[in-house]
Amino acid sequence: MATKEPEKKTDSAWATAFQNILKLEESHGFDNKAVMGGLDKFLAHWSDEMAARSVIDENFMLRESYDSMSAKVREQWVVQWREALGGPADPNREPSHTVATPTKAKPRAKKPAADKLATEKPATEKKLAYKTPPAEITVDAPVDRLKGVDTKLTARLKKLEVETIRDLLYLFPRRHEDYSTAVKITDLEPGKECTVVATVWEAREVAKGPRGGRRDTEAVISDESGNLRAIWFGQKFLARTLKPGSRIAVSGKASVFRGQLVFENPEHEMLDASGAGVHTGRLVPIYPLTEGLTRRNMRRLTWQAVQNWLGGLVDALPEDILRRTKLIPLLDAVDQAHYPKDTESWELARRRLAFDELFTLQLAMLARRRLQHDNVKGIELVAPADVIDAFYKTLPFPLTNAQRRCIQEIESDMRGGTPPMSRLLQGEVGSGKTVVALSSLLSVAAAGYQGAMMVPTEVLAEQHFLSIGNLLSGLPRPVQEPHLLTVYLEHMDRPISIGLLTGSSKAAVKRELAKRAADGTLDILVGTQALIQEGISIPKLALAVADEQHRFGVNQRSALQERGNENPHTLIMSATPIPRTLSLTIFGDLDISTIDEMPAGRQEVATKWLKPEQRSTAYDFIRKQVEEGRQAFVVCPLVDESETIESKAATEEYQKLSEDIFPDLSLGLLHGRMPPKEKEKVMRQFRDGELDILVTTPVVEVGIDVANATVMMIDGADRFGLAQLHQFRGRVGRGEHKSYCMLLSDSASETAKERLSALARIHDGFQLAEVDLELRGPGDFFGTRQSGLPSLKMAHITDRELLEMARDEATKLMEYDPDLKAPEHAAISAQVARFVDRASANVA
Ligand code: ADP
Ligand code: MG
């Protein structure tokens, strides 16, 4: 750049002086005595000149304290500065994108003291490209080690979860501003947002009004095409920063004043020189900010961290993985994630860092799984095949291929015994998960063991018990009580008994079921959390099934497993269709079976997105359906603030509907603040047809099966994710009657419109989930419920290829070194430990 010329001339005297001091320092063995009182005094004095000479690409270093460096580091530092200050240009110098080896000097540093260093790594391949922090300080040092970080700033950084220098290095920009798309001054269009890269011609402080009044900075900046005026109102200090000849990027809207182009209060960025975290790069990082932290501040800090501390990071990825995956080295990746050369470099950096996240996540999952399952002896279940085959013949329908496949996957896990099964059975609402679970439970019973199925609500437990009864209705059944079912399966010499146990079961029933469970004469127990309460033991428990897994915490799941004497197999059922990428991420510790096929003859729920003014049409439609004997759900808008506000809103909606719109119909209300008993009562009333319309907050998602309900009206539909809307829709269309889903939204953004029209068009849950994911990203996919979801900063949930690569590599690594004990895996092991720490902090 033309502007660099004068700089070089003016600072050449300085450079010579510095060079001399460095030479002296070298001959003294780096004892900090080359100048009286130590080098630091000079460094402080010369910070501007030094900064002007530090160009990202050449990795010049701006140290705050020479005194605090170890001798080894001093040497590296001096050598680099000497090179930088006009030692003859090294024709072999590699671009900065070489692998960094924190403890190694450049091959050029052939000084006696360097021999020791040189032996640490073969001198052939790598050069020191990134500065190593002082040996005694690690990147895990608190962030206040950085220059200019005081207690106030420390507190602010903490809000961004930045406590150590490592955290700061891993605080990646949300995006980059691309100054390469800057326009020439002649091409500026007044009134349009744009960026200009130019040189400061002159800048001065201007007084406005009387003495003591406002003082502005006015500058004239120019590029080869012309010049323009920039004014910063009330910012007189800026005048001193804008030194003539310095390069500046200015963004804003230009206006025309007296025939001249003017920028008023534009965003500005110095493009070279100064230690203030500025950049020669064309892509300027934009960081997440918090109260009291400016963009400029953040850049100053990350710049400092990247320049001075990057070398303290250790690339944990073994060579062979790097080679196979063709990812770039970690230090380059972190560097380029902050201050990329261009967008391609940034994408390479992102890939590498995303891989790290996914790889670490997979390792953590596999480790957890190993802890829970490997070497844990499971129960080998050998069920007589003819019993189950006979059961299939009595079913009122043929199983779908997907159901058969899932049953086989489960059976094969259970036959294998060790390790115990840990499997997720996913399939959307109505795909027929119950019969898959039942078949597995019957196998367990036929093999002489016990099984249990836990569901989140009493109504659901009752529903499961009833549908199990229906599925078994083709069999002779000597006993059928409200809480106990006994059936004879062909080829079995004894009856199989199934009990229902919930919080509201009568004491006598509870006692009897508990006794039969304990003495082993009860084969299958269906129930709510009551199952895991004290006093219930299921000694021969071999299979624990949990339905609607997201409603149960991991702890409840394991509490259920502990009911038995041995380690039971577990099957978790989820009706939320989760794209494979996401399930691998979240349920990496589970195997997955998917029912991806609906039973034949299912009708599609007609779905329509209504405009706000069509609200009354929607009400009329509900009324018509009720007159035909059907029932309807009305889902109230999602309220982010709190369950209390949400419940209040639902209550108001309920009052409005029952008083003004449907005074003659019977309505029920369901919301999160109601006591569980009350909720159960309302759900029961709706199921039994005592209510025409159920007004509900999104809790209805828990899923009651009401064949007679044909209308699902969702208010504020734009506020829900597709997956959730699809779940709601699945609540209707479960019987013989044609069903409808009406989506209402008062104001819908473009993406919301896209979502709603996707829902009207697509009826396959998995396909919708993929679309949802693309539109919303993973964080929102589950909403706040999935709070244990570790935060992935660089990985996109759509990085399917990366994810599978990470999973493969993690599996391979664990096979080879299951405890990550090998010395070369120490860094990975530490990375996994940090991840687990963070994840558990998130859950807590
Ligand atoms: P979900 O996966 O939502 O739990 P269910 O197991 O409740 O689904 O099944 C929904 C309905 O479909 C039930 O009435 C069940 O009897 C029926 N069903 C299950 N499998 C089949 C099949 N293969 N063919 C026809 N109907 C089926
Ligand atoms: Mg179900």
Side-chain angles (χ1 to χ4, degrees):
M1 294 273 128
T3 50
K4 283 213 166 149
E5 289 305 310
E7 266 173 45
K8 274 201 179 138
K9 263 177 239 147
T10 54
D11 68 11
S12 64
W14 164 78
T16 316
F18 196 21
Q19 207 31 305
N20 286 338
I21 290 174
L22 293 174
K23 219 153 66 187
L24 205 59
E25 188 53 21
E26 202 166 71
S27 67
H28 281 202
F30 313 102
D31 61 2
N32 198 14
K33 294 210 171 115
V35 289
M36 244 184 8
L39 246 67
D40 285 338
K41 206 171 66 184
F42 281 81
L43 303 188
H45 200 62
W46 289 341
S47 59
D48 278 354
E49 285 86 343
M50 288 173 73
R53 287 295 193 125
S54 319
V55 180
I56 293 178
D57 288 344
E58 298 189 359
N59 296 291
F60 285 94
M61 301 172 286
L62 300 170
R63 292 310 300 242
E64 61 263 48
S65 166
Y66 184 80
D67 188 45
S68 68
M69 294 178 209
S70 66
K72 194 165 87 179
V73 177
R74 281 178 186 172
E75 182 195 342
Q76 294 173 8
W77 186 85
V78 167
V79 167
Q80 293 212 35
W81 265 114
R82 294 205 54 193
E83 276 186 53
L85 292 167
D90 181 357
N92 297 321
R93 182 198 288 273
E94 284 182 18
S96 66
H97 280 248
T98 45
V99 180
T101 1
T103 51
K104 201 177 145 295
K106 287 198 176 188
R108 281 193 73 197
K110 282 285 184 304
K111 304 289 171 303
D115 291 344
K116 179 174 52 147
L117 294 172
T119 56
E120 285 176 26
K121 271 255 160 159
T124 47
E125 11 129 32
K126 294 165 185 178
K127 293 186 176 186
L128 177 69
Y130 299 105
K131 181 149 125 185
T132 321
E136 66 276 13
I137 306 176
T138 75
V139 283
D140 293 309
V143 73
D144 63 12
R145 287 290 177 119
L146 296 175
K147 201 157 67 179
V149 179
D150 55 9
T151 24
K152 223 195 226 159
L153 197 51
T154 305
R156 285 173 181 157
L157 287 168
K158 196 167 173 190
K159 288 211 182 108
L160 295 171
E161 297 185 5
V162 171
E163 296 184 44
T164 65
I165 293 165
R166 183 196 299 280
D167 295 340
L168 188 63
L169 287 169
Y170 275 90
L171 181 75
F172 298 119
R174 281 184 289 117
R175 62 189 173 83
H176 289 88
E177 198 92 70
D178 187 355
Y179 287 140
S180 66
T181 60
V183 297
K184 294 266 168 288
I185 290 176
T186 38
D187 298 336
L188 271 183
E189 284 176 47
K192 219 175 108 191
E193 194 76 44
C194 65
T195 298
V196 166
V197 173
T199 304
V200 177
W201 191 256
E202 65 161 341
R204 60 200 168 95
E205 193 184 316
V206 195
K208 283 279 143 73
R211 253 177 165 283
R214 200 185 73 203
R215 287 171 159 260
D216 303 338
T217 288
E218 270 193 36
V220 176
I221 63 173
S222 63
D223 65 10
E224 62 270 30
S225 74
N227 54 35
L228 63 78
R229 216 155 56 91
I231 305 174
W232 289 269
F233 298 120
Q235 298 191 49
K236 59 174 182 175
F237 294 111
L238 205 52
R240 273 177 247 166
T241 321
L242 304 179
K243 296 198 179 105
S246 53
R247 309 245 319 136
I248 187 174
V250 181
S251 313
K253 279 184 198 158
S255 51
V256 180
F257 182 70
R258 291 195 189 143
Q260 204 195 354
L261 280 170
V262 185
F263 264 128
E264 290 184 357
N265 286 330
E267 281 257 355
H268 77 283
E269 197 67 55
M270 303 310 296
L271 291 187
D272 58 7
S274 111
V278 201
H279 347 268
T280 49
R282 295 175 307 165
L283 293 169
V284 176
I286 308 295
Y287 290 98
L289 297 177
T290 182
E291 178 83 38
L293 260 180
T294 62
R295 281 184 176 187
R296 199 169 299 271
N297 240 330
M298 275 311 293
R299 273 180 226 145
R300 204 197 319 265
L301 293 174
T302 59
W303 173 252
Q304 212 190 128
V306 170
Q307 289 308 294
N308 298 343
W309 298 80
L310 192 55
L313 290 178
V314 176
D315 195 336
L317 272 197
E319 286 285 337
D320 57 327
I321 297 188
L322 267 178
R323 195 160 15 83
R324 278 196 296 269
T325 54
K326 299 195 173 68
L327 293 164
I328 64 170
L330 177 71
L331 276 67
D332 288 345
V334 174
D335 178 18
Q336 292 296 302
H338 288 278
Y339 296 95
K341 265 190 155 74
D342 47 38
T343 40
E344 290 84 64
S345 311
W346 180 83
E347 177 55 26
L348 287 177
R350 189 196 74 80
R351 270 179 70 81
R352 163 63 210 255
L353 295 164
F355 178 86
D356 277 12
E357 289 173 357
L358 297 168
F359 182 61
T360 313
L361 174 68
Q362 290 303 321
L363 285 175
M365 293 283 192
L366 291 173
R368 184 164 98 192
R369 183 190 170 108
R370 207 174 105 75
L371 205 69
Q372 284 173 351
H373 304 283
D374 288 12
N375 310 319
V376 173
K377 212 182 144 344
I379 303 162
E380 259 174 63
L381 284 171
V382 193
D386 50 355
V387 175
I388 301 303
D389 284 344
F391 158 67
Y392 294 153
K393 293 204 183 92
T394 67
L395 279 174
F397 47 73
L399 293 171
T400 61
N401 287 332
Q403 284 170 319
R404 283 177 191 283
R405 178 175 35 80
C406 292
I407 291 174
Q408 265 157 24
E409 285 164 359
I410 295 167
E411 298 274 328
S412 128
D413 280 359
M414 296 200 299
R415 254 199 315 276
T418 300
M421 172 174 76
S422 255
R423 192 170 276 281
L424 175 74
L425 173 64
Q426 58 169 355
E428 60 178 304
V429 171
S431 62
K433 293 184 290 294
T434 317
V435 68
V436 172
L438 177 62
S439 160
S440 313
L441 288 165
L442 290 176
S443 296
V444 167
Y449 282 88
Q450 291 172 296
M453 178 147 150
M454 183 166 76
V455 298
T457 66
E458 290 190 9
V459 173
L460 259 185
E462 286 168 16
Q463 189 174 298
H464 271 298
F465 187 71
L466 283 176
S467 43
I468 287 174
N470 287 338
L471 291 169
L472 295 172
S473 59
L475 297 165
R477 184 183 315 190
V479 184
Q480 186 175 15
E481 293 166 27
H483 294 91
L484 194 65
L485 193 66
T486 306
V487 291
Y488 281 92
L489 287 180
E490 212 179 318
H491 307 295
M492 268 201 73
D493 48 9
R494 63 179 183 87
I496 285 182
S497 56
I498 303 168
L500 170 70
L501 183 76
T502 67
S504 60
S505 301
K506 295 209 173 60
V509 170
K510 270 188 196 159
R511 225 174 318 149
E512 195 205 338
L513 289 175
K515 181 175 157 290
R516 294 190 56 163
D519 68 20
T521 53
L522 185 69
D523 297 283
I524 296 167
L525 189 53
V526 177
T528 53
Q529 279 96 321
L531 281 189
I532 56 177
Q533 272 150 18
E534 288 311 317
I536 307 283
S537 90
I538 315 172
K540 287 197 291 174
L541 185 66
L543 173 62
V545 180
D547 195 7
E548 309 285 345
Q549 70 75 221
H550 56 272
R551 296 283 163 177
F552 293 112
V554 173
N555 295 340
Q556 280 165 310
R557 262 195 255 152
S558 47
L560 179 61
Q561 287 167 11
E562 283 155 20
R563 295 302 96 191
N565 291 345
E566 294 176 73
N567 302 302
H569 301 284
T570 44
L571 181 69
I572 293 147
M573 298 200 282
S574 170
T576 312
I578 302 167
R580 187 172 154 74
T581 37
L582 196 56
S583 51
L584 278 179
T585 310
I586 300 169
F587 301 113
D589 57 337
L590 302 174
D591 291 310
I592 299 170
S593 290
T594 305
I595 310 185
D596 50 8
E597 181 186 354
M598 293 296 263
R602 277 290 145 81
Q603 46 162 307
E604 266 178 14
V605 176
T607 304
K608 205 162 175 191
W609 174 36
L610 301 177
K611 301 207 172 64
E613 58 271 21
Q614 289 175 295
R615 182 173 289 272
S616 60
T617 320
Y619 292 146
D620 291 346
F621 187 77
I622 290 179
R623 176 174 292 280
K624 232 173 81 212
Q625 287 283 307
V626 171
E627 277 163 9
E628 284 174 28
R630 306 286 88 79
Q631 290 161 283
F633 291 97
V634 174
V635 177
C636 299
L638 182 72
V639 181
D640 288 330
E641 287 94 306
S642 76
E643 199 174 56
T644 311
I645 298 177
E646 192 164 271
S647 300
K648 197 166 151 266
T651 309
E652 279 163 15
E653 178 75 6
Y654 166 78
Q655 271 160 1
K656 189 187 105 191
L657 290 179
S658 50
E659 283 162 22
D660 306 343
I661 317 274
F662 304 115
D664 50 328
L665 304 182
S666 70
L667 278 75
L669 170 67
L670 207 57
H671 67 69
R673 303 294 290 180
M674 286 162 59
K677 281 243 176 307
E678 195 84 1
K679 266 193 235 171
E680 299 273 357
K681 189 177 141 210
V682 174
M683 284 200 257
R684 236 172 241 129
Q685 285 177 328
F686 190 66
R687 181 193 65 196
D688 298 342
E690 293 163 27
L691 300 173
D692 300 314
I693 299 171
L694 184 63
V695 179
T696 168
T697 55
V699 291
V700 73
E701 201 193 337
V702 173
I704 34 175
D705 218 341
V706 183
N708 191 46
T710 54
V711 186
M712 168 63 67
M713 174 178 142
I714 305 166
D715 213 341
D718 55 307
R719 314 209 43 190
F720 295 102
L722 273 183
Q724 217 175 352
L725 290 171
H726 181 65
Q727 287 283 95
F728 294 144
R729 176 166 67 180
R731 294 294 138 218
V732 296
R734 319 204 83 197
E736 61 203 282
H737 311 288
K738 175 81 195 146
S739 297
Y740 308 87
C741 177
M742 300 189 287
L743 307 167
L744 270 152
S745 68
D746 285 334
S747 67
S749 66
E750 278 308 308
T751 41
K753 277 183 198 159
E754 242 174 281
R755 282 212 303 276
L756 297 183
S757 70
L759 191 75
R761 202 175 62 239
I762 303 171
H763 291 262
D764 174 80
F766 285 94
Q767 216 180 318
L768 270 175
E770 298 274 358
V771 175
D772 202 17
L773 207 48
E774 306 254 326
L775 291 175
R776 306 212 307 166
D780 292 336
F781 186 78
F782 280 101
T784 46
R785 251 191 286 130
Q786 200 72 32
S787 58
L789 185 64
S791 72
L792 301 174
K793 296 171 176 172
M794 291 304 240
H796 299 161
I797 215 63
T798 41
D799 283 334
R800 189 174 312 244
E801 172 236 340
L802 267 187
L803 181 72
E804 296 194 343
M805 212 156 79
R807 185 153 163 113
D808 285 352
E809 292 295 348
T811 311
K812 255 185 236 157
L813 183 64
M814 289 295 259
E815 268 164 21
Y816 162 69
D817 180 12
D819 295 313
L820 300 180
K821 270 201 200 117
E824 68 268 29
H825 297 150
I828 296 191
S829 182
Q831 193 165 303
V832 173
R834 272 196 302 273
F835 175 88
V836 171
D837 261 12
R838 236 223 175 155
S840 48
N842 280 347
V843 174

